[in-house]
Amino acid sequence: MTPKERQLATIRRELTDRISADAIFIYNFPDIAVQLGVGIGEVWSELGIDGRLMLLEYKNEFTQPPTDPNRVTWSTTLLDENSSQYGTQRIYPLAQVKRKEDIDAYDWPDPDDFNYDLAAENAKLWGDTYAIRGPEWVPVFCKACDLFGMEAAMIRMMTEPDIFEAALDRITDVHVQACERLLDTCGDAMPIFCVGDDFATQRGLMISPSKWRQFIKPRIDRIIDVGRKRNKVIWFHSCGDVTSVLPDLIEMGVQVWETVQLQTLPYSPVDLKKKFGDRLTFFGGINTQKLPFANAEDIRAEVNGCIEVLGEGGGYICGPDHTINLDVPPQNTIDLFQAVTSFRKEGYTL
């Protein structure tokens, strides 16, 4: 099977020649390239990763990193010029708004300023071989927190819901328009519509499920509907324990849940598979918080354990439960994917 065939069949909960493997991002890939003796561009293929994520660039943000904060998409976050750490400089442009009119007056991103052609070019370049998904990060709740500041956003939600909802609607409008144009430009080369928002910690939702259903669910549903109308596979990213609203997400058409952080959930892996496995494909499972300190035996045992439970009968894309950061030894990343791609067992693989 090609990587594309393997991953799409896995999402349909069919058995495949081997377990599908994937990752959100691997930050130490240059060191892995050295370890494997391959070029940087060959790392994902050498590891056996079946999917490719196509992000949506804003104002040449990828190719010409901006020094002006107004050139980042939402004018909220950028890297400190003296640091490689994400989010070390924060700007909260809606922190002081007083009226709904102030929300309308904000300089919202223009959907014309996204580089749809670059995404389509890359999707078509890789799309015959790999399962292409994108654009990944189109958050509603998380973006409101970026714009107001997290504490201020939650206070506004409770005390000034009209202002909070006005911002949510403008955020959603931008995402919907950009996603429509992205999917239409990429066409069949992007079969998976991958969207994401973070609204949970490792101990549950940041807001109550009822508030999530009131404020966040209708907006995420509008975004997901862009993919539903185009018959795309719906792949949803959300960190932490979102199980209290996982039935809602399934109802909204989500077919793949990224990323499954098993150590955060109120269910055992067995119960998770039993409760949701007939309606959902799981992606993740391998604990990246332990990965920097694990040995090869530990890694293989964890991979095999996750597959044995979540992969029975298909429906499991195995990989790290978040990004692989620079503190992970290259060999540990290699060991992880070698364990995934070498697994074979009746009832799990063809």
Side-chain angles (χ1 to χ4, degrees):
M1 303 179 81
T2 67
K4 178 180 181 178
E5 291 169 339
R6 182 181 303 114
Q7 189 161 104
L8 292 178
T10 297
I11 294 169
R12 296 192 298 268
R13 295 184 292 283
E14 300 170 1
L15 297 187
T16 53
D17 59 333
R18 66 162 174 81
I19 301 298
S20 184
D22 217 317
I24 301 173
F25 194 71
I26 301 171
Y27 280 99
N28 61 349
F29 70 92
D31 295 330
I32 294 171
V34 173
Q35 189 93 351
L36 292 173
V38 301
I40 285 177
E42 301 172 80
V43 168
W44 269 257
S45 299
E46 285 290 319
L47 293 176
I49 293 174
D50 294 320
R52 294 293 185 273
L53 175 60
M54 297 298 156
L55 300 174
L56 185 56
E57 180 188 53
Y58 179 76
K59 287 188 177 180
N60 298 318
E61 211 172 346
F62 299 162
T63 52
Q64 298 176 25
T67 55
D68 177 357
N70 292 317
R71 280 197 57 218
V72 296
T73 313
W74 300 87
S75 303
T76 55
T77 306
L78 70 163
L79 295 178
D80 186 289
E81 64 180 8
N82 298 314
S83 172
S84 61
Q85 295 300 310
Y86 173 77
T88 52
Q89 181 175 341
R90 284 280 183 175
I91 300 167
Y92 302 121
L94 299 185
Q96 304 303 320
V97 299
K98 303 296 185 185
R99 306 166 303 156
K100 285 178 64 176
E101 290 78 9
D102 297 330
I103 299 293
D104 291 331
Y106 178 63
D107 186 18
W108 295 96
D110 186 339
D112 285 342
D113 288 334
F114 291 91
N115 197 338
Y116 307 101
D117 290 337
L118 176 64
E121 179 183 335
N122 288 329
K124 288 167 185 174
L125 177 65
W126 298 103
D128 287 341
T129 304
Y130 300 100
I132 305 300
R133 66 185 186 273
E136 172 87 5
W137 194 233
V138 285
V140 177
F141 174 79
C142 199
K143 187 50 61 185
C145 291
D146 280 349
L147 290 164
F148 287 108
M150 181 173 287
E151 182 178 353
M154 294 190 185
I155 292 172
R156 298 275 187 157
M157 179 180 68
M158 300 302 294
T159 63
E160 299 176 282
D162 56 334
I163 290 177
F164 185 67
E165 288 197 281
L168 294 181
D169 284 336
R170 293 303 298 267
I171 292 166
T172 305
D173 289 344
V174 173
H175 287 324
V176 166
Q177 293 176 60
C179 288
E180 287 175 338
R181 291 176 61 171
L182 173 69
L183 293 187
D184 290 344
T185 305
C186 291
D188 293 340
M190 184 179 284
I192 302 172
F193 183 43
C194 176
V195 298
D197 194 1
D198 283 340
F199 38 76
T201 72
Q202 294 190 121
R203 294 184 288 181
L205 296 192
M206 297 183 200
I207 59 177
S208 69
S210 62
K211 292 297 182 186
W212 182 88
R213 293 183 180 107
Q214 177 183 350
F215 291 105
I216 309 305
K217 179 178 179 178
R219 278 87 184 182
I220 292 177
D221 193 54
R222 276 189 61 202
I223 297 169
I224 287 176
D225 193 51
V226 174
R228 287 195 304 250
K229 288 178 177 176
R230 290 160 177 78
N231 297 314
K232 302 294 184 180
V233 171
I234 306 299
W235 177 309
F236 189 77
H237 166 97
S238 200
C239 299
D241 175 14
V242 300
T243 52
S244 61
V245 296
L246 198 52
D248 298 77
L249 293 167
I250 294 170
E251 170 198 315
M252 292 154 66
V254 171
Q255 295 159 271
V256 182
W257 172 28
E258 168 200 314
T259 176
V260 179
Q261 295 173 286
L262 292 171
Q263 72 276 10
T264 75
L265 305 183
Y267 300 103
S268 69
V270 171
D271 289 339
L272 184 71
K273 179 75 170 182
K274 185 180 299 184
K275 188 171 181 66
F276 299 110
D278 61 337
R279 295 170 290 164
L280 200 61
T281 290
F282 305 108
F283 167 48
I286 309 304
N287 190 340
T288 51
Q289 295 174 30
K290 293 182 177 179
L291 192 59
F293 318 106
N295 59 40
E297 183 178 345
D298 294 335
I299 292 168
R300 182 169 291 276
E302 184 174 6
V303 167
N304 288 349
C306 285
I307 294 173
E308 289 275 1
V309 175
L310 298 179
E312 185 174 10
Y316 178 43
I317 300 167
C318 189
D321 68 3
H322 211 283
T323 54
I324 294 181
N325 287 319
L326 295 173
D327 59 348
V328 177
Q331 188 59 51
N332 286 18
T333 303
I334 295 167
D335 290 342
L336 189 163
F337 286 103
Q338 284 181 343
V340 177
T341 57
S342 64
F343 183 98
R344 299 289 188 281
K345 186 175 180 179
E346 184 177 353
Y348 296 79
T349 59
L350 294 172

